[in-house]
Amino acid sequence: MKELRWETKAEVYKVDELPDGYKRLYDKAFEVARDAYAPYSGFHVGAVALLDDGSMVCGNNQENAAYPSGLCAERTTLFHAGACYPDVAVRVLAIAALNEGKRVRSITPCGACRQVMIETERRQGKAMRVLLCGEKEIYLIAKTSDLLPFSFDEKSLKE
């Protein structure tokens, strides 16, 4: 038997401790969350991608009465960035949520979003930081692969 272990590190900040530039992403992610279409769950999620050229791309969750037909904020944002800025890497992806209009603790992406985030990071050939924005604490993850250690990738298709 062989045992494997993974370690994930996160920097934890309070809002007033955020490094330069991250406060703007934090505020924008909550702003974008307000406009999410979430009539069924009432859980509004917003995401903001800061690109290497300084552009920001925003997205939010879009629900549907047939739940699998909706789409999470993270995927909406990354697919929008990939379609409109295909040659510009995503430097940081900030994610925030509102429940019944109130800021909540830091949330983490679902498995499908983590897989898309990994693919985005691999496609661009460089790490994408993830900012998990909560009401009181914010987690800064250095690279998306820290969120999904057993990810599915191109090697999985060939084995």
Side-chain angles (χ1 to χ4, degrees), residues 18 20-32 46-51 55-57 91-96 131 133:
L18 282 169
D20 292 341
Y22 287 94
K23 175 72 165 79
R24 184 176 67 146
L25 293 172
Y26 173 88
D27 290 335
K28 188 69 173 172
F30 279 111
E31 178 186 323
V32 172
V48 179
L50 174 64
L51 308 184
S55 300
M56 288 196 326
V57 175
R91 188 181 313 158
V92 182
L93 181 66
I95 307 160
L131 192 68
C133 305

Side-chain angles (χ1 to χ4, degrees), residues 74 95 105-111 113-114 132 139 147:
E74 299 90 332
I95 307 160
R105 67 174 178 79
S106 298
I107 60 164
T108 58
C110 73
C113 287
R114 291 176 194 217
L132 304 174
Y139 299 97
L147 295 172

Side-chain angles (χ1 to χ4, degrees), residues 109-130:
C110 73
C113 287
R114 291 176 194 217
Q115 184 64 43
V116 169
M117 291 163 67
I118 290 282
E119 187 75 18
T120 299
E121 189 174 79
R122 285 191 180 125
R123 184 179 62 218
Q124 64 192 26
K126 61 190 283 190
M128 178 175 63
R129 292 180 151 224
V130 181

